[in-house]
Amino acid sequence: MPKDAIPTIGPAHVAIIMDGNGRWAQKRGRPRLFGHHAGARRVREIVEACPDMGVKYLTIFAFSTENWKRTQVEVAGLMSLFRKYIEREAKALVRNGVRVRFIGDRIRLDEKLVAMMDELELLTSHNDLIHLTIALNYGGRDEVTRAAKRLALEIEQGRLTHDEVDAETLSRFLDTHVLPDPDLVIRTSGEARISNFLLWQSAYAEYEFVDTLWPDFSRTEFARVLASYGKRDRRFGAVSA
Ligand code: FPP
């Protein structure tokens, strides 16, 4: 077991807002995409660290429903990076027992990228060591709205009555319906906001805001954040035992 492994019970599901790629590049006098490429290399390192750290589910925010407002060059560069990531990492993900899922609305994504996402989900569908979920064209409000629409259709078509709608029923219509709720949400780069990420699912999550820019967020720092989570007392609205 590596020396930074977390021997005690840590968070089973960690979600990460990978922020700070642009500033990381800017500090080096390079274009923003240079930072996104460095960020993609960190994704690999953090995914590979998960089994040693007791993290079974990792959910990462790669592209939000609001990120379309960036320049056309940056958006196109990010989309091309996602395609390259899938191409480059697919074999290792299959080999390393990583099950990949994508959440978010695929409707606005390029057909070729969507086909690659579907293929990667299928290729890794028998894996169970780590569950990596990549949020792509994802927004929490958008996800809940899409879920509510589908729920309304079920009622309209007589498959469900309005009396049967409760939190559990609504959860079944979310993109994350097969995942447990996140235990810990980490945001890098010193910003303390959640930016529409997993709004419903994070109702009882712990949050960690770290100053490090995402391309500098190492396995060692990941281990430190997970260790500090272990010291928290999660009460889910109840009182301590
Ligand atoms: C936020 O940093 C980051 C993004 C919008 C993109 C996240 C993408 C990656 C880490 C690249 C690779 C991901 C995968 C899954 C291959 P920012 O650009 O807002 O940084 P800034 O706040 O410093 O400008």
Side-chain angles (χ1 to χ4, degrees), residues 17-26 32-33 35-44 60-64 67 70 74 78 81-86 88-89 102 132-136 187-189 191 193 213-215:
I17 303 173
M18 309 178 289
D19 195 12
N21 296 346
R23 277 164 282 166
W24 186 90
Q26 199 176 21
R32 297 176 56 81
L33 278 167
H36 294 314
H37 280 264
R41 289 192 289 278
R42 280 300 175 192
V43 169
R44 170 176 247 208
I60 55 175
F61 206 0
F63 194 89
S64 76
N67 285 152
R70 297 188 175 205
E74 186 171 353
L78 276 166
L81 175 59
F82 300 140
R83 287 195 297 270
K84 281 194 194 121
Y85 173 82
I86 295 176
R88 202 175 55 212
E89 301 292 319
F102 292 91
L132 171 66
T133 303
I134 303 176
L136 232 173
R187 182 175 189 139
T188 58
S189 95
E191 311 285 349
R193 52 177 181 267
L213 302 176
W214 174 253

Side-chain angles (χ1 to χ4, degrees), residues 135-155:
L136 232 173
N137 193 28
Y138 175 86
R141 287 183 174 179
D142 178 69
E143 179 193 31
V144 174
T145 308
R146 284 186 285 108
K149 257 191 188 159
R150 281 190 284 135
L151 196 62
L153 190 67
E154 292 292 298
I155 295 172

Side-chain angles (χ1 to χ4, degrees), residues 57-149:
Y57 294 87
L58 178 71
T59 301
I60 55 175
F61 206 0
F63 194 89
S64 76
T65 45
E66 287 72 38
N67 285 152
W68 297 104
K69 293 180 202 149
R70 297 188 175 205
T71 65
Q72 207 252 325
V73 170
E74 186 171 353
V75 170
L78 276 166
M79 293 300 152
S80 149
L81 175 59
F82 300 140
R83 287 195 297 270
K84 281 194 194 121
Y85 173 82
I86 295 176
E87 241 162 45
R88 202 175 55 212
E89 301 292 319
K91 272 205 185 116
L93 290 164
V94 173
R95 196 176 53 235
N96 295 334
V98 182
R99 177 161 188 174
V100 182
R101 294 183 179 89
F102 292 91
I103 56 170
D105 194 352
R106 298 179 189 206
I107 206 93
R108 211 172 153 183
L109 300 173
D110 164 86
E111 254 177 53
K112 177 160 181 243
L113 175 59
V114 173
M116 293 172 79
M117 289 157 61
D118 287 341
E119 196 191 346
L120 186 60
E121 284 187 334
L122 191 66
L123 271 176
T124 61
S125 60
H126 300 295
N127 285 346
D128 185 42
L129 183 66
I130 297 296
H131 292 248
L132 171 66
T133 303
I134 303 176
L136 232 173
N137 193 28
Y138 175 86
R141 287 183 174 179
D142 178 69
E143 179 193 31
V144 174
T145 308
R146 284 186 285 108
K149 257 191 188 159

